Amino acid sequence: MTNVLELRDVHRTHGSGETAVHALRGVSLHVVPGELVAVMGPSGSGKSTLLNLAGGLDRPAKGEVAVEGQVLGALPRRRLAEVRRRAIGYVFQSFNLLPSLTAVENVALPLELDGVSVRTSRREALRSLADLGLTHLADRFPDEMSGGQQQRVAIARALVGPRRLVLADEPTGALDSETGEAVLRVLRARVDAGAAGILVTHEARHAAWADRVVFLRDGVVVDMSERLAQPEDLLVRPEATA
Amino acid sequence: MSIKFGLLALLERGTMYGYQLRVAFEESTGGTWPLNIGQVYTTLSRLERDGQVRPLPESEAGQRPYEITDAGRAELTLWFATPISRADRPRDELAIKLALALTTPGVDVRSVVQTQRTATMRTLQEYTRLKARSDAPADLPWRLVLDAMLFQAEAEVRWLDHCEASLVRHRPEPPSATAQPETAPSEQEARR
């Protein structure tokens, strides 16, 4: 299976000389379609740097980042911007919907900015909303939606059109536990339908929606948890006592 | 928790015979607590002895239903009203293991923490996968049981994160393995 995202021995240093901070030191990671990878780690472990590199917002000092097989560092600026627009969707903690646009207009916006006709953009946006069961919200403005609804619309926007890679930075941070879970269900369903995702979170219960959990510490991957084959085997069976 | 309260709660719904109780008990715990029929009958006979349930006449098929008594209902109400004491739970082996790792020479505590965190994370992932499959309203009791396990596992991960952060800040010196034999006992004396 082709990797939607691949990081190969990526290094990134902020600053130089004695005050240099080695944010990432030789991180390798790949994400295939249908896979959600969570990244966990303490503050300063390199989570945000990893996400910025994966999204083409930052360049590695050493190593390569490839999205849909294209090495981002090798692309001219204009082409890189194109890949960012067409291949990658972002979800942030603070929804980031434009307040003067309805849900469907927000979702259609990335396509319109990319030169797709208004009519086609709207059709794609409605499809993306429908995929997430959000058709009823299409004509609502952000201030007419709850936080959880806005975040689900943001996921619809992140994966509108041909985009298959979603990068989510603490997407449930501003939501209560039950609503956060509803958002993760949506993200999970979208990934199961063929997208690929990276979820940065500090909450283990949220990271648990991922297929793999990568633990970062001091810019290095210290461990990785993967799914077992038989979940039922794990259920606790306490000794019953009368 | 004992089976006793589980059976009392089920009988509060209506009369049931042993096999029905067993099935209903397993359903309401999402299959995480399997019972054998012997445990059900042993518990029923104790409850009967204590006047908390009463056997009814056998049906034509030879099944004897039981009903809850007022005494049983009072016992059940008290159980629901009383919080579970943490002291009733077994000692936390993990906490003890980390405390020992910290003071045992040659043990990399951070890797003990990470090994445990990965294992707990994997458990969380599996619970979450089971939860993702159960979305129907009828699955709510089962989801609550799963949530309890999820939140406990999450608490463990948060505690491990906290341990790791504390380790970075104040790593205590491991006790010297080559302490002078004559001073060691007196130090211990002083601590007492």
Side-chain angles (χ1 to χ4, degrees), chain A residues 181 217 223 225 228 240, chain B residues 33 118 125-126 131 154 164:
Chain A
E181 198 175 294
R217 192 172 63 210
D223 210 348
S225 104
L228 299 175
Chain B
W33 191 347
T118 305
Q125 283 174 276
E126 297 312 328
K131 191 173 168 175
E154 183 194 32
E164 183 174 62

Side-chain angles (χ1 to χ4, degrees), chain B residues 9-192:
Chain B
L10 292 171
L11 288 172
E12 181 69 348
R13 294 185 198 165
T15 63
M16 282 190 222
Y17 53 87
Y19 179 75
Q20 285 177 314
L21 281 166
R22 179 189 153 191
V23 171
F25 186 94
E26 292 193 4
E27 272 174 6
S28 55
T29 54
T32 55
W33 191 347
L35 290 188
N36 65 52
I37 197 72
Q39 290 171 304
V40 175
Y41 284 115
T42 311
T43 310
L44 279 174
S45 63
R46 281 187 205 156
L47 286 167
E48 186 184 345
R49 178 199 68 199
D50 297 339
Q52 293 170 359
V53 301
R54 178 184 308 126
L56 299 172
E58 273 187 17
S59 68
E60 285 178 9
Q63 291 146 339
R64 183 182 294 284
Y66 285 80
E67 72 175 0
I68 190 167
T69 63
D70 286 344
R73 206 164 277 129
E75 185 76 0
L76 181 65
T77 307
L78 183 66
W79 180 62
F80 276 125
T82 313
I84 307 285
S85 163
R86 283 202 70 89
D88 291 346
R89 298 181 194 174
R91 285 188 188 84
D92 191 331
E93 185 183 341
L94 177 58
I96 295 163
K97 187 201 253 187
L98 279 192
L100 287 173
L102 208 54
T103 50
T104 306
V107 176
D108 179 359
V109 192
R110 280 179 118 187
S111 85
V112 174
V113 168
Q114 186 55 49
T115 302
Q116 184 64 44
R117 184 164 41 205
T118 305
T120 309
M121 193 66 229
R122 195 170 288 147
T123 308
L124 259 175
Q125 283 174 276
E126 297 312 328
Y127 290 159
T128 304
R129 185 147 70 145
L130 289 172
K131 191 173 168 175
R133 285 192 212 152
S134 52
D135 205 14
D139 293 334
L140 183 60
W142 165 225
R143 279 208 303 278
L144 289 183
V145 173
L146 267 178
D147 275 335
M149 299 192 285
L150 270 163
F151 276 89
Q152 279 162 20
E154 183 194 32
E156 188 172 294
V157 173
R158 289 182 62 186
W159 172 66
L160 288 166
D161 288 345
H162 176 77
C163 290
E164 183 174 62
S166 304
L167 279 173
V168 174
R169 238 167 279 146
H170 351 263
R171 171 77 220 240
E173 288 297 315
S176 170
T178 55
Q180 296 290 326
E182 58 269 29
T183 56
S186 63
E187 269 178 19
Q188 280 176 6
E189 295 278 328
R191 276 188 205 157
R192 283 180 204 144

Side-chain angles (χ1 to χ4, degrees), chain A residues 7-240:
Chain A
L7 274 68
R8 289 187 280 263
D9 191 29
V10 164
H11 293 248
R12 180 72 175 96
T13 308
H14 299 300
S16 60
E18 280 185 10
T19 57
V21 177
H22 300 282
L24 288 184
R25 298 181 292 162
V27 169
S28 295
L29 182 70
H30 65 272
V31 191
V32 297
E35 192 180 32
L36 182 62
V37 175
V39 180
M40 296 189 77
S43 305
S45 58
K47 303 190 295 287
S48 302
T49 305
L50 187 150
L51 210 61
N52 287 340
L53 288 166
L57 302 169
D58 192 6
R59 281 169 189 254
K62 195 182 146 212
E64 281 180 348
V65 178
V67 173
E68 305 268 17
Q70 304 188 73
V71 177
L72 300 185
L75 298 176
R77 186 174 297 193
R78 180 186 288 263
R79 183 76 192 98
L80 175 65
E82 232 172 68
V83 170
R84 277 209 303 259
R85 265 199 326 269
R86 290 186 186 162
I88 308 170
Y90 304 85
V91 181
F92 305 94
Q93 181 171 335
S94 54
F95 327 136
N96 286 18
L97 299 180
L98 292 181
S100 56
L101 300 183
T102 62
V104 67
E105 288 165 352
N106 264 289
V107 176
L109 189 64
L111 295 176
E112 286 183 42
L113 290 176
D114 202 30
V116 177
S117 76
V118 172
R119 179 189 290 232
T120 308
S121 300
R122 188 179 166 84
R123 197 180 58 227
E124 288 288 328
L126 282 170
R127 181 182 300 163
S128 187
L129 286 169
D131 283 346
L132 302 183
L134 302 174
T135 306
H136 61 292
L137 300 176
D139 296 321
R140 294 216 201 149
F141 289 94
D143 66 1
E144 295 168 341
M145 291 186 276
S146 70
Q149 289 171 331
Q150 289 187 59
Q151 194 61 307
R152 276 173 279 183
V153 170
I155 292 174
R157 180 184 56 184
L159 288 166
V160 71
R163 297 193 282 179
R164 286 202 305 164
L165 176 61
V166 57
L167 304 175
D169 192 0
E170 299 279 2
T172 52
L175 305 171
D176 66 61
S177 155
E178 183 72 17
T179 313
E181 198 175 294
V183 166
L184 289 166
R185 267 184 198 273
V186 156
L187 184 61
R188 181 72 251 179
R190 206 64 181 78
V191 167
D192 286 341
I198 290 204
L199 167 67
V200 165
T201 178
H202 65 274
E203 289 200 52
R205 206 159 32 83
H206 294 161
W209 284 85
D211 300 288
R212 278 191 289 154
V213 182
V214 172
F215 295 95
L216 276 183
R217 192 172 63 210
D218 301 331
V220 179
V221 174
V222 288
D223 210 348
M224 211 179 273
S225 104
E226 299 194 34
R227 279 179 168 177
L228 299 175
Q230 292 296 324
E232 285 81 1
D233 291 350
L234 262 164
L235 286 174
V236 187
R237 294 184 184 274
E239 282 300 306

